[in-house]
Amino acid sequence: MNILLIQREGTDLHHTLYSSETSRHALRFYHPKKIPCGVIIAVASLGSALSLVSELRWYLRRYVRETLFEVEPGIFCTHDLAQDIYYERTAILAKPWAFRRLYGFIAGKPARRLVMAAGAAAQDCAADLTGAERTIEVWCTEDEVEDIGDLITLEEAGEEPGPADSPGP
């Protein structure tokens, strides 16, 4: 399992995490890898992932745009859904998952996201993310899907786009 930390614009998350003694201590058993959109950390289980995220909570609030958990290769889930799975045991992951988003990345930075219709394949929706070089499917809770609505740019979501982000549709 992997944790994907999507950094805020203007932040070098890998450097930030290793420049602090507190976060270095929390990461001492892990080997975070720097990627264009932030950091990816391999962990053994969902429980250890949630524990590490809890230890890094202050850094995540300040420097991370979004925390995602890879539930299977190429499919991620949000922090809220991961907590529902682990603590509440109210969500049992199964394909097809009804509440999904598709994130599009341009120049290694998150640029757009859209809500995927129930039963739609990620490949079918990817055409709606014009200009995206890479996409990832993100499973989420019903409340999180309603928060996003239709295809939006990050500016419309109240987030700062990067210089390589394209304008909205």
Side-chain angles (χ1 to χ4, degrees):
M1 166 168 265
N2 291 313
I3 304 168
L4 173 61
L5 303 175
I6 299 175
Q7 65 196 8
R8 292 188 189 275
E9 184 61 35
T11 301
D12 180 350
L13 185 59
H14 190 266
H15 174 75
T16 301
L17 291 173
Y18 276 103
S19 65
S20 163
E21 184 177 347
T22 304
S23 59
R24 271 196 321 270
H25 181 72
L27 293 166
R28 68 189 178 278
F29 300 116
Y30 305 95
H31 303 286
K33 293 180 184 167
K34 184 176 183 174
I35 57 175
C37 67
V39 171
I40 195 157
I41 305 169
V43 294
S45 66
L46 181 57
S48 60
L50 289 168
S51 177
L52 179 59
V53 165
S54 178
E55 286 187 60
L56 296 172
R57 182 177 47 243
W58 184 86
Y59 299 93
L60 301 184
R61 280 192 203 142
R62 187 164 184 175
Y63 302 111
V64 173
R65 177 182 284 174
E66 191 156 6
T67 302
L68 301 173
F69 301 85
E70 190 171 30
V71 290
E72 64 178 67
I75 298 178
F76 293 81
C77 74
T78 62
H79 189 244
D80 287 349
L81 181 57
Q83 288 182 318
D84 284 354
I85 295 164
Y86 190 77
Y87 296 114
E88 306 298 326
R89 308 229 189 260
T90 56
I92 298 171
L93 299 181
K95 286 186 176 181
W97 188 253
F99 312 109
R100 300 173 298 152
R101 305 176 189 165
L102 192 64
Y103 287 36
F105 292 82
I106 298 174
K109 297 179 183 191
R112 295 187 180 165
R113 59 187 179 189
L114 74 117
V115 173
M116 295 173 61
Q123 297 82 1
D124 299 336
C125 296
D128 293 336
L129 294 175
T130 308
E133 298 160 356
R134 184 174 193 282
T135 60
I136 61 170
E137 184 176 334
V138 178
W139 295 3
C140 51
T141 65
E142 183 176 9
D143 293 339
E144 291 173 311
V145 167
E146 292 171 356
D147 288 345
I148 290 183
D150 294 325
L151 174 66
I152 60 171
T153 64
L154 294 177
E155 291 169 324
E156 293 169 332
E159 299 179 20
E160 293 294 320
D165 294 342
S166 64

